[in-house]
Amino acid sequence: VGRALLYLLTAAPLSALWFGLLLAGAIAIPLTAPTPLVVPVLVAYRALVWSGARLEAALVRDLLGVEIEAPLARFGAKGYLGRVRGVVGDPALWREQTFLFLRMVLGGALAVAIASAIGASAWLVALPAMYSSVDFDIGSWHVDRLGRALALVPAGVAGLAVSWFLVVGGARIWPPLARVLLAGGAGTAGSTATAAGEPTPVAHALRRALPFHAAFFVLLNAVLIAVWAFTTAGYFWPEWTLLTLGLLLAIHGWTVLVQGSWLGPRSAATRALRVHAGAAAAIGLFLVCVWAVTTAGYFWPMWPLLGLALLLGGHALTALAATRDRERLTERIDVLTTTRSGAVDAAEAELRRIERDLHDGAQARLVALGMSLGLAEQKLASDPDAALQLLTEARVGAGEALRELRDLARGIHPPILADRGLEPALAALAASAPLRVDVSAHVPERPPAPVETAAYFVAAEALANAAKHAAASHVEIRIYRLADVLTVVVVDDGRGGADPAGSGLSGIRRRVEALDGSLRVVSPPGGPTSVEAVLPCAS
Amino acid sequence: VIAEDLALLRDGLTRLLRDNGFEVVAAVGDGDALVHSVLREEPDVAIVDVRLPPTFRDEGLRAALEARRRRPETAILIVSQYVERSYADELLADGRGGVGYLLKDRIIDVDDFVAAVRRVAAGSTALDPEVVAQLLTRRRHGNPLDRLTPRELEVLALMAEGRSNAGIADALVLTVGAVEKHVASILAKLRLPPSETDHRRVLAVLEYLRSTSD
């Protein structure tokens, strides 16, 4: 709920930003449309909208936990017409604009509503602590006494409950919208599964003891109250046992509750934190009760409460940091495990393919070649003409075998990549593609060979898909190295709908992930398809 | 001079050339040795493998270009297991003849290969059909080449490989006169000036193809 609330509240500052952006676009583009000036304006506007969409996608991902990816921006071909057609004709632009608009209007309104609901309710709840210092009237009803202030607390609590529902409900609107508008329907819902651990022996004993503890509490107090009723019946002294033993029972009960499986995912650290929180709340309540039944004057429990809160806060912070560290490590281990097995699988499949190709291709041809030569040797004396024909056949066969071996070698590792590096290799790739390809590269320093190879095959695969499946006519390949990160982006203008789990793309993904990189494929139906690989170059 | 790091191929190539009336003055295994022997022996032609030690990348090509820079009259025939258009561009960059770039596969067809060596040594060009094919792909729309007939495209490809009219006539089983007619028609359609020598014609055609393929 905390993250959902944060997400909903981010709409407030962002709505101002999106308002400015959309307005600027709506003014600047029509104004410059008849002039060539519109080209830089369009490109800048597209880049800004795309950055906005990316930011929103990141917010949805991090705060709402829904895995979505915004497609990469398409800027079209160089020149006036190309840019206008490329940018304005990009369905992703219109979807992203819609999402930003919704966040601006709906999100902004919701943020204001939630913030004011929470603020007002919290104020009402806090009123008993400050009724004397503030002036507050409801009609003619002047809140000037503790009783009246206390009477308003339930209203505040109800208000908080309403805000809670607003937050939970509001947070449900955005993921489907984001999935459709930001990711073009290509997002996948993230799911987390947590295994329920076995309860520890201590927890077990605590749970078994709880009914006895409760029974003991009820019995003892019943006895004491009976004694009080029959004897003095004046000052209600059993309140002290009720309170102190009640405190113990409450802490015990809470501890057992926390161990129960229905309170969500639990690590030892979270459990300890929850026990701590419950105990602190119980102690606080105990102190307030003591204060209420005794002096009820100066609110002295304020100080111990402050101390408790500080302790709890410190505990929560360290626990949170520790949990995060552990989560990061666990995640890293998961990633390494998957990518390692992926890399092994990919290498295995590749080796099998090479073996098959060699066996069916060059090897078979060499056998045939050997046979022709053997026959020619036999016939050389008796039938020189036939021998000559066999020798010609053998020569042609050797040429075929060579051609097959060359194709195979190129598929394993294109020679020009090793010789000259990524840029010339991609240029050669682009030149041999059956569609128009623009390559822009900025790779000042050659990355390690495995990274280069992976980057090359990402581009090759994306290009092959664009030509084969997407019916694209134009592809942009951008490749650049910033510090120690090499990024390959391939965007086409095809019909989209690529399956990221298809054999070609998943092979590429395994290859990229084995290098600790990441591959993102966004291909909503209707296009465009964008493939982005980010590869760390640290050797 | 032959520069090839695999002894098996180096010896085979040496024997093949000797049997066909060439004199092999040096057979070396790396780029530095190539440059040295070119300067010492002053051969008519150097046959060079692209991949040579120590890097096994494009050492051979670099060494050959270096040798040609220091002794410009050296004719160079690059042989390789694979062909890349950009390498051909680098070879042709100085606009003079006497260069060739062939797949090693072509050595199998001994007569053709020997003819290509002689052509290069004589100051003309020999480009592998694969390179020419790379130059001819991707020219689908709105290109002057669309105006050529399929037969003329075939002739153009052979011209780009560096063959003479007689060579083209041989390969396509035509008369030399018919080839001359096709050539004239091609040059007219592409608005290329007729040249006095085969070699100049090849360079003009290649220049044309390179300029239109990007």
Side-chain angles (χ1 to χ4, degrees), chain A residues 43-70:
Chain A
V43 170
Y45 179 68
R46 183 69 189 96
L48 284 173
V49 169
W50 172 70
S51 312
R54 228 177 193 198
L55 172 67
E56 289 285 7
L59 285 175
V60 169
R61 203 163 47 233
D62 292 346
L63 295 177
L64 299 183
V66 178
E67 281 300 324
I68 59 157
E69 303 285 359

CSV table of all heavy atoms in Angstrom, one decimal, chain A residues 43-70:
chain,number,residue,atom,x,y,z
A,43,VAL,N,11.5,15.6,-33.5
A,43,VAL,CA,12.4,14.7,-32.9
A,43,VAL,C,12.6,14.9,-31.4
A,43,VAL,O,12.5,14.0,-30.6
A,43,VAL,CB,13.8,14.7,-33.7
A,43,VAL,CG1,14.8,13.9,-32.9
A,43,VAL,CG2,13.6,14.2,-35.1
A,44,ALA,N,12.7,16.2,-31.1
A,44,ALA,CA,12.8,16.5,-29.7
A,44,ALA,C,11.6,16.1,-28.9
A,44,ALA,O,11.6,15.5,-27.8
A,44,ALA,CB,13.1,18.0,-29.5
A,45,TYR,N,10.4,16.4,-29.5
A,45,TYR,CA,9.1,16.1,-28.8
A,45,TYR,C,9.0,14.6,-28.6
A,45,TYR,O,8.6,14.2,-27.6
A,45,TYR,CB,8.0,16.7,-29.7
A,45,TYR,CG,6.6,16.4,-29.1
A,45,TYR,CD1,6.2,17.0,-27.9
A,45,TYR,CD2,5.8,15.5,-29.7
A,45,TYR,CE1,5.0,16.7,-27.3
A,45,TYR,CE2,4.5,15.2,-29.1
A,45,TYR,CZ,4.2,15.8,-28.0
A,45,TYR,OH,2.9,15.6,-27.4
A,46,ARG,N,9.4,13.9,-29.7
A,46,ARG,CA,9.2,12.4,-29.6
A,46,ARG,C,10.2,11.9,-28.5
A,46,ARG,O,9.8,11.0,-27.8
A,46,ARG,CB,9.6,11.8,-31.0
A,46,ARG,CG,9.5,10.3,-31.0
A,46,ARG,CD,8.0,9.9,-31.0
A,46,ARG,NE,7.8,8.5,-30.8
A,46,ARG,CZ,7.6,7.9,-29.7
A,46,ARG,NH1,7.6,8.7,-28.6
A,46,ARG,NH2,7.4,6.6,-29.6
A,47,ALA,N,11.4,12.4,-28.5
A,47,ALA,CA,12.3,12.0,-27.5
A,47,ALA,C,11.8,12.3,-26.1
A,47,ALA,O,11.9,11.4,-25.2
A,47,ALA,CB,13.7,12.6,-27.7
A,48,LEU,N,11.2,13.5,-25.9
A,48,LEU,CA,10.7,13.8,-24.6
A,48,LEU,C,9.5,12.9,-24.2
A,48,LEU,O,9.4,12.4,-23.1
A,48,LEU,CB,10.3,15.3,-24.6
A,48,LEU,CG,11.4,16.3,-24.5
A,48,LEU,CD1,10.9,17.7,-24.7
A,48,LEU,CD2,12.2,16.1,-23.2
A,49,VAL,N,8.6,12.7,-25.1
A,49,VAL,CA,7.4,11.9,-24.8
A,49,VAL,C,7.9,10.5,-24.5
A,49,VAL,O,7.4,9.8,-23.5
A,49,VAL,CB,6.4,11.8,-26.0
A,49,VAL,CG1,5.4,10.7,-25.8
A,49,VAL,CG2,5.8,13.2,-26.2
A,50,TRP,N,8.9,10.0,-25.2
A,50,TRP,CA,9.4,8.7,-25.0
A,50,TRP,C,10.1,8.6,-23.6
A,50,TRP,O,9.9,7.7,-22.9
A,50,TRP,CB,10.4,8.3,-26.1
A,50,TRP,CG,11.1,7.0,-25.8
A,50,TRP,CD1,10.6,5.8,-25.8
A,50,TRP,CD2,12.5,6.9,-25.5
A,50,TRP,NE1,11.5,4.8,-25.5
A,50,TRP,CE2,12.7,5.5,-25.3
A,50,TRP,CE3,13.5,7.7,-25.3
A,50,TRP,CZ2,13.9,5.0,-25.0
A,50,TRP,CZ3,14.8,7.2,-25.0
A,50,TRP,CH2,14.9,5.9,-24.8
A,51,SER,N,10.9,9.7,-23.3
A,51,SER,CA,11.5,9.7,-21.9
A,51,SER,C,10.4,9.6,-20.9
A,51,SER,O,10.5,9.0,-19.8
A,51,SER,CB,12.4,10.9,-21.7
A,51,SER,OG,13.2,11.1,-22.8
A,52,GLY,N,9.3,10.4,-21.1
A,52,GLY,CA,8.2,10.4,-20.1
A,52,GLY,C,7.6,9.0,-20.0
A,52,GLY,O,7.4,8.5,-18.9
A,53,ALA,N,7.4,8.4,-21.1
A,53,ALA,CA,6.8,7.0,-21.1
A,53,ALA,C,7.7,6.1,-20.4
A,53,ALA,O,7.3,5.2,-19.6
A,53,ALA,CB,6.6,6.5,-22.5
A,54,ARG,N,9.0,6.3,-20.6
A,54,ARG,CA,10.0,5.4,-19.9
A,54,ARG,C,10.0,5.6,-18.4
A,54,ARG,O,10.0,4.6,-17.7
A,54,ARG,CB,11.4,5.6,-20.5
A,54,ARG,CG,12.0,4.4,-20.8
A,54,ARG,CD,13.4,4.5,-21.5
A,54,ARG,NE,13.6,3.2,-22.0
A,54,ARG,CZ,14.8,2.7,-22.3
A,54,ARG,NH1,15.8,3.5,-22.2
A,54,ARG,NH2,15.0,1.5,-22.8
A,55,LEU,N,9.9,6.9,-18.0
A,55,LEU,CA,9.8,7.2,-16.6
A,55,LEU,C,8.6,6.6,-16.0
A,55,LEU,O,8.6,5.9,-14.9
A,55,LEU,CB,9.9,8.7,-16.4
A,55,LEU,CG,9.6,9.2,-15.0
A,55,LEU,CD1,10.8,8.8,-14.1
A,55,LEU,CD2,9.4,10.7,-15.0
A,56,GLU,N,7.5,6.7,-16.7
A,56,GLU,CA,6.2,6.2,-16.2
A,56,GLU,C,6.3,4.7,-16.1
A,56,GLU,O,5.8,4.1,-15.1
A,56,GLU,CB,5.0,6.6,-17.1
A,56,GLU,CG,4.7,8.1,-17.0
A,56,GLU,CD,3.9,8.4,-15.7
A,56,GLU,OE1,3.8,7.6,-14.8
A,56,GLU,OE2,3.5,9.6,-15.5
A,57,ALA,N,6.9,4.1,-17.1
A,57,ALA,CA,7.0,2.6,-17.1
A,57,ALA,C,7.8,2.2,-15.9
A,57,ALA,O,7.5,1.2,-15.2
A,57,ALA,CB,7.6,2.1,-18.4
A,58,ALA,N,8.9,2.9,-15.7
A,58,ALA,CA,9.8,2.6,-14.5
A,58,ALA,C,9.0,2.7,-13.2
A,58,ALA,O,9.2,1.9,-12.3
A,58,ALA,CB,11.0,3.5,-14.5
A,59,LEU,N,8.2,3.8,-13.1
A,59,LEU,CA,7.4,4.0,-11.9
A,59,LEU,C,6.4,2.8,-11.7
A,59,LEU,O,6.3,2.3,-10.6
A,59,LEU,CB,6.6,5.3,-11.9
A,59,LEU,CG,7.5,6.6,-11.7
A,59,LEU,CD1,6.6,7.8,-12.0
A,59,LEU,CD2,8.1,6.6,-10.4
A,60,VAL,N,5.7,2.4,-12.8
A,60,VAL,CA,4.8,1.3,-12.7
A,60,VAL,C,5.5,0.1,-12.2
A,60,VAL,O,5.0,-0.7,-11.4
A,60,VAL,CB,4.1,1.1,-14.0
A,60,VAL,CG1,3.3,-0.2,-14.0
A,60,VAL,CG2,3.1,2.3,-14.3
A,61,ARG,N,6.7,-0.1,-12.8
A,61,ARG,CA,7.4,-1.3,-12.5
A,61,ARG,C,7.9,-1.3,-11.1
A,61,ARG,O,7.7,-2.3,-10.4
A,61,ARG,CB,8.6,-1.4,-13.5
A,61,ARG,CG,9.2,-2.7,-13.7
A,61,ARG,CD,10.1,-2.8,-14.9
A,61,ARG,NE,11.0,-1.7,-15.0
A,61,ARG,CZ,11.2,-0.9,-16.0
A,61,ARG,NH1,10.4,-1.0,-17.1
A,61,ARG,NH2,12.0,0.1,-16.0
A,62,ASP,N,8.5,-0.2,-10.6
A,62,ASP,CA,9.1,-0.2,-9.3
A,62,ASP,C,8.1,-0.1,-8.2
A,62,ASP,O,8.3,-0.6,-7.1
A,62,ASP,CB,10.1,0.9,-9.2
A,62,ASP,CG,11.3,0.6,-10.1
A,62,ASP,OD1,11.4,-0.5,-10.6
A,62,ASP,OD2,12.1,1.5,-10.4
A,63,LEU,N,7.0,0.7,-8.4
A,63,LEU,CA,6.1,1.0,-7.3
A,63,LEU,C,4.9,0.1,-7.4
A,63,LEU,O,4.3,-0.2,-6.3
A,63,LEU,CB,5.7,2.5,-7.4
A,63,LEU,CG,6.9,3.4,-7.1
A,63,LEU,CD1,6.4,4.9,-7.3
A,63,LEU,CD2,7.5,3.2,-5.8
A,64,LEU,N,4.4,-0.3,-8.5
A,64,LEU,CA,3.3,-1.2,-8.6
A,64,LEU,C,3.7,-2.7,-8.8
A,64,LEU,O,2.8,-3.6,-8.8
A,64,LEU,CB,2.3,-0.7,-9.6
A,64,LEU,CG,1.7,0.7,-9.4
A,64,LEU,CD1,0.7,1.0,-10.5
A,64,LEU,CD2,1.1,0.8,-8.0
A,65,GLY,N,5.0,-2.9,-9.1
A,65,GLY,CA,5.4,-4.3,-9.3
A,65,GLY,C,4.9,-4.9,-10.5
A,65,GLY,O,4.8,-6.2,-10.6
A,66,VAL,N,4.5,-4.2,-11.6
A,66,VAL,CA,4.0,-4.8,-12.8
A,66,VAL,C,5.1,-4.6,-13.9
A,66,VAL,O,5.5,-3.5,-14.2
A,66,VAL,CB,2.7,-4.1,-13.3
A,66,VAL,CG1,2.3,-4.7,-14.6
A,66,VAL,CG2,1.7,-4.2,-12.2
A,67,GLU,N,5.5,-5.8,-14.4
A,67,GLU,CA,6.6,-5.7,-15.3
A,67,GLU,C,6.2,-5.3,-16.7
A,67,GLU,O,5.4,-6.0,-17.4
A,67,GLU,CB,7.2,-7.1,-15.5
A,67,GLU,CG,8.2,-7.5,-14.4
A,67,GLU,CD,9.4,-6.6,-14.2
A,67,GLU,OE1,9.9,-6.1,-15.3
A,67,GLU,OE2,9.8,-6.4,-13.1
A,68,ILE,N,6.5,-4.0,-17.1
A,68,ILE,CA,6.1,-3.6,-18.4
A,68,ILE,C,7.4,-2.9,-19.0
A,68,ILE,O,8.2,-2.4,-18.3
A,68,ILE,CB,4.9,-2.7,-18.5
A,68,ILE,CG1,5.2,-1.4,-17.6
A,68,ILE,CG2,3.7,-3.3,-18.0
A,68,ILE,CD1,4.4,-0.3,-18.1
A,69,GLU,N,7.4,-2.9,-20.3
A,69,GLU,CA,8.5,-2.2,-21.0
A,69,GLU,C,7.9,-1.2,-22.0
A,69,GLU,O,7.1,-1.6,-22.8
A,69,GLU,CB,9.4,-3.2,-21.7
A,69,GLU,CG,10.0,-4.3,-20.9
A,69,GLU,CD,11.1,-3.8,-20.0
A,69,GLU,OE1,11.4,-2.6,-20.1
A,69,GLU,OE2,11.6,-4.6,-19.2
A,70,ALA,N,8.4,0.0,-22.0
A,70,ALA,CA,8.0,0.9,-23.1
A,70,ALA,C,8.8,0.6,-24.3
A,70,ALA,O,10.0,0.3,-24.3
A,70,ALA,CB,8.2,2.3,-22.6
